[in-house]
Amino acid sequence: MNVSAIAARESATSLALPLVAVFVVSMGFGLVLPVLPFVLAVAFGEAVSRATISWHTGLLTGTYMLALFLFAPFWGYVSDRAGRRTVILLGLAGFIGAMLWFALARGLVSVYAARAFAGVFAAAVLPVVFAWVSDVRSPPALARAFAWLSASSALGFLFGPTLSGWLASIETVASAKALALPFYAAAAIGGGVWLAVYLWFPESPIRRIEDTPPQPDQSSLLGLLALSLLVMLGIGSFEVGLALQGQQVLKLGPREIGWMFAECSLVMILVQIFVFAPLLKRFGRRLLAPAFLAMAVGIALLPWAETYPALIVGVGLVAGASGVLIPALAYLVSLAAGTQQGMAFGKQTAAASLGQATGSAVAGWMFAVLAGRSFWLTAALLALGAVAALRVAASLKR
């Protein structure tokens, strides 16, 4: 593989379609959240209780995460053999179908099926895009590429609820039909992305024998997967606890809580774009432990945040640390994966999905029992993660 070929693949424009693919799938996840309780109210009818809607809202989010957990390794394995481009096209086609299904869903079973379908095919896009990028970019450019991909995912999650809330609130459209508009819009955007990928997205190059990376470092991979699960468990617990802390302790309204989540996404994006690559270049794998520790400190401070500005400081610290950890772990997984990039990223997506689902589910129960002190349990787990990160970093092959 000559230098000019590598430079062509590593140009800024070569990353455009992977960024857009990750953005649109993340947008589809975030887009559902603001309208899901209202979709459930329509599915159940007028007699449904608030508790029932809350319960099914949580279960539907868990259904999506469960599908990611189950199918991400499968799609990664398939992409290692059938090619990344084919799997990404299948994933985007499934995403479009899931959005249309959700728009047309009327009964509860149909809503659950559409949510599971979306998770199955999101699992064919997110890890496989990371694997494709690791195929075509050399290690010096890989960290920055992963940072941009992580930022694109955060931006999609930030944009999705905004688009959904606006379209579902159009007063000139009947309320039931307005609820379907966000899904039709997502399907249309997804259709444009699918066409662009079909026309211009190249398959990963077939590596020559002398270019083939070493076989996977299984012990290091296992440690990195455990750290990925722990990071997302912390984020899932943090998100639920933050919403409950704002509503029940600080008596904040939906707008103030929404701004906190927006701040979290924006800080993550800025850190991933401007801060992560220089830090990784200087500290390498030694960056993991301090980032885990900073995230633990940020979460531990939240019970003492008795004012809105103090809460913003804690949120910013957690967001900055997680903004470093997510692309750093993806980068190290790529280096340890050897020839099995698709399978490795599939397993990492599965571990992250399991961690986030577990953290979100347990956090609500912990907050009900312990109130703000529940943050300290999450912080303690992340502090243990900092110790584990030291061991994992030491075990990684240079």
Side-chain angles (χ1 to χ4, degrees):
M1 191 181 297
N2 60 42
V3 175
S4 61
I6 294 174
R9 291 193 184 101
E10 295 187 355
S11 66
T13 54
S14 71
L15 200 59
L17 282 177
L19 288 173
V20 172
V22 168
F23 171 85
V24 74
V25 172
S26 300
M27 179 197 71
F29 174 73
L31 175 139
V32 174
L33 300 179
V35 298
L36 189 53
F38 302 97
V39 170
L40 286 170
V42 172
F44 276 109
E46 296 180 359
V48 64
S49 67
R50 293 174 59 188
T52 299
I53 290 178
S54 299
W55 187 53
H56 281 284
T57 298
L59 284 178
L60 280 163
T61 303
T63 298
Y64 181 93
M65 292 297 178
L66 179 62
L68 274 175
F69 169 71
L70 293 174
F71 283 88
F74 166 76
W75 287 119
Y77 174 85
V78 172
S79 77
D80 282 338
R81 284 149 182 80
R84 317 289 190 213
R85 181 176 179 273
T86 300
V87 174
I88 291 170
L89 285 170
L90 283 172
L92 289 171
F95 168 82
I96 296 165
M99 293 296 102
L100 293 175
W101 191 344
F102 222 116
L104 299 171
R106 292 296 177 264
L108 185 62
V109 173
S110 186
V111 171
Y112 269 93
R115 198 65 175 139
F117 195 75
V120 168
F121 286 96
V125 177
L126 298 175
V128 179
V129 166
F130 275 82
W132 183 91
V133 171
S134 69
D135 287 341
V136 302
R137 298 180 92 82
S138 58
L142 201 55
R144 185 173 296 277
F146 284 161
W148 277 93
L149 287 171
S150 299
S152 181
S153 178
L155 187 61
F157 182 78
L158 182 65
F159 178 75
T162 304
L163 176 66
S164 178
W166 173 64
L167 289 175
S169 302
I170 296 178
E171 297 179 356
T172 56
V173 181
S175 59
K177 292 183 177 179
L179 290 176
L181 288 179
F183 303 105
Y184 286 126
I189 296 170
V193 174
W194 186 94
L195 183 61
V197 169
Y198 179 78
L199 292 175
W200 297 302
F201 196 87
E203 185 53 87
S204 302
I206 299 175
R207 296 180 185 269
R208 300 183 308 179
I209 292 175
E210 60 266 28
D211 293 330
T212 302
Q215 290 302 304
D217 179 4
Q218 297 293 353
S219 61
S220 296
L221 268 177
L222 186 61
L224 292 168
L225 294 178
L227 293 179
S228 298
L229 185 149
L230 187 56
V231 168
M232 296 310 296
L233 186 147
I235 290 175
S237 176
F238 161 74
E239 289 174 342
V240 172
L242 181 64
L244 294 172
Q245 174 88 347
Q247 180 202 30
Q248 299 180 15
V249 178
L250 298 181
K251 307 300 181 184
L252 301 177
R255 182 173 60 181
E256 288 81 6
I257 294 174
W259 276 115
M260 283 193 297
F261 282 108
E263 178 215 355
C264 187
S265 296
L266 288 172
V267 170
M268 287 180 68
I269 291 167
L270 292 174
V271 167
Q272 287 162 348
I273 292 175
F274 298 109
V275 178
F276 166 69
L279 283 179
L280 187 67
K281 183 177 180 180
R282 181 170 181 179
F283 297 105
R285 53 194 165 178
R286 293 174 296 157
L287 186 62
L288 292 179
F292 265 104
L293 190 59
M295 191 174 176
V297 170
I299 289 180
L301 290 175
L302 294 180
W304 284 297
E306 298 181 353
T307 64
Y308 187 57
L311 197 62
I312 287 178
V313 172
V315 169
L317 188 57
V318 174
S322 58
V324 168
L325 282 169
I326 291 172
L329 286 168
Y331 173 72
L332 293 173
V333 164
S334 177
L335 295 186
T339 56
Q340 299 177 5
Q341 296 287 321
M343 175 64 84
F345 280 112
K347 289 180 178 178
Q348 189 193 29
T349 300
S353 301
L354 179 62
Q356 187 168 11
T358 303
S360 299
V362 173
W365 173 80
M366 286 199 309
F367 198 92
V369 175
L370 301 172
R373 287 171 292 178
S374 62
F375 288 114
W376 295 338
L377 292 178
T378 303
L381 284 175
L382 291 169
L384 290 175
V387 177
L390 289 174
R391 294 179 62 88
V392 172
S395 73
L396 287 171
K397 294 178 181 178
R398 290 190 179 275

